[in-house]
Amino acid sequence: ALTAIGNDYDFDMIFSKQVRALGRSGDVLLAISTSGNSSNVLEAIGAAHERGMRVVALTGKDGGKIAAKLQNEDILLNVPHQRTARIQEVHILLIHALCDCIDQTLFGGA
């Protein structure tokens, strides 16, 4: 899907086209951008908002353009660091914590 959308439309639309096709009101988009300025992620956030979806954004540095694009009901998990490696390490930890929380909520127990 990524290469087809990138080839037929534009690489800035590789995620937003999929969000528009599959996203529904009440769904949650997990948007990840180390810089907070990835244009394809920004487009996906716009598409998610059009569909009535909430956004959980993982960013770094100062949150970039993504931080400014989020709405009140969205969640920004920003890693205020300049080094890409450190930001991505914390993003991995956050994703594992989110997965654990979702598992516990849906399935309970150990």
Side-chain angles (χ1 to χ4, degrees), residues 23-106:
R24 295 187 177 118
S25 180
D27 288 350
V28 177
L29 173 70
L30 179 62
I32 305 170
S33 172
T34 302
S35 68
N37 295 315
S38 302
S39 56
N40 51 12
V41 178
L42 283 159
E43 290 292 328
I45 291 169
H49 287 155
E50 289 170 10
R51 310 287 280 154
M53 297 169 61
R54 288 186 170 185
V55 177
V56 175
L58 277 63
T59 62
K61 303 179 182 180
D62 65 356
K65 295 175 184 174
I66 288 175
K69 190 170 183 97
L70 297 179
Q71 298 177 347
N72 288 339
E73 58 274 1
D74 296 331
I75 297 171
L76 175 63
L77 299 174
N78 183 59
V79 181
H81 202 282
Q82 295 302 308
R83 290 193 57 209
T84 298
R86 295 296 159 262
I87 295 165
Q88 291 176 349
E89 287 170 350
V90 175
H91 283 177
I92 291 169
L93 176 65
L94 289 169
I95 291 167
H96 282 286
L98 286 168
C99 288
D100 185 53
C101 182
I102 291 167
D103 281 349
Q104 291 296 317
T105 301
L106 292 177

Side-chain angles (χ1 to χ4, degrees), residues 5 10 12-22 40-48:
I5 294 167
D10 187 279
D12 284 351
M13 300 175 75
I14 59 174
F15 302 128
S16 62
K17 282 287 214 184
Q18 295 177 77
V19 170
R20 286 188 180 97
L22 302 170
N40 51 12
V41 178
L42 283 159
E43 290 292 328
I45 291 169

